Amino acid sequence: MCLRSLGFVLIVFPGVLLGEISAQRCDAPKLLHGYFIPRQETYSDKAIITYSCDNGYKPVVDSWWATSTCDRGKWSHEPQCIDESACFPPTIPNGKYPENSNGWYEDGSTLRITCDGGFEHQNQFTTTTCGNGKWSSAPVCERSVSACSAPPKISHAVIIHGYQEVFAAGSEVQYECEDGYTAHTEKSVCIQGNWTPVPTCSKLTV
């Protein structure tokens, strides 16, 4: 009985391991307008391919050639060649815009930039347009004069709010005193660049 059970285990385990290894392999990518090396039908986990694109096209990453790694049955990024007039996502400090699921934007695409809380547009420009692979002058988000820096540190207290360096006008934070202390005012509001009122934590008296 014991020998039969042992034999059964020895037969099943290799099959399971073989199935797991197969599931982690990657099929060769279907790369239009480009070529890659080494060329194989399948690739083992962690295998790396290098690819480049035909004239008039470019990789979906910001370089004329790119690499992609087989990671548990999927490529770290799907090798793709896009029109060289397309644009990669712009970098807008302290600003955000609608993200394209493709990871790139077609020529002629226009993005409306929204500044983060505590920041405002430096001028009237709020959009940027992709043209021939480059973005037009992007809007600049600068700190608002009415914004506040991080709330002041209060002895024997913590702030019930995730850390951030800049707060928009009207932002509100709540302090909580440690055990044995109490606050007369628990909340502070950002008003014209200043936090007011500033709470204090006083020791409880028996």
Side-chain angles (χ1 to χ4, degrees), residues 27-39:
D27 293 330
K30 297 178 180 179
L31 183 62
L32 296 176
H33 309 296
Y35 49 93
F36 58 89
I37 56 173
R39 294 195 64 86

Side-chain angles (χ1 to χ4, degrees), residues 51-65:
Y51 73 96
S52 189
C53 300
D54 300 335
N55 289 338
Y57 295 87
K58 61 185 177 183
V60 73
V61 296
D62 195 6
S63 177
W64 66 269
W65 86 97

Side-chain angles (χ1 to χ4, degrees), residues 16-54:
V16 172
L17 292 174
L18 182 60
E20 291 178 350
I21 293 173
S22 298
Q24 292 181 341
R25 298 179 68 85
C26 292
D27 293 330
K30 297 178 180 179
L31 183 62
L32 296 176
H33 309 296
Y35 49 93
F36 58 89
I37 56 173
R39 294 195 64 86
Q40 299 171 191
E41 290 187 0
T42 61
Y43 298 80
S44 60
D45 189 44
K46 304 307 178 186
I48 299 174
I49 62 171
T50 300
Y51 73 96
S52 189
C53 300
D54 300 335

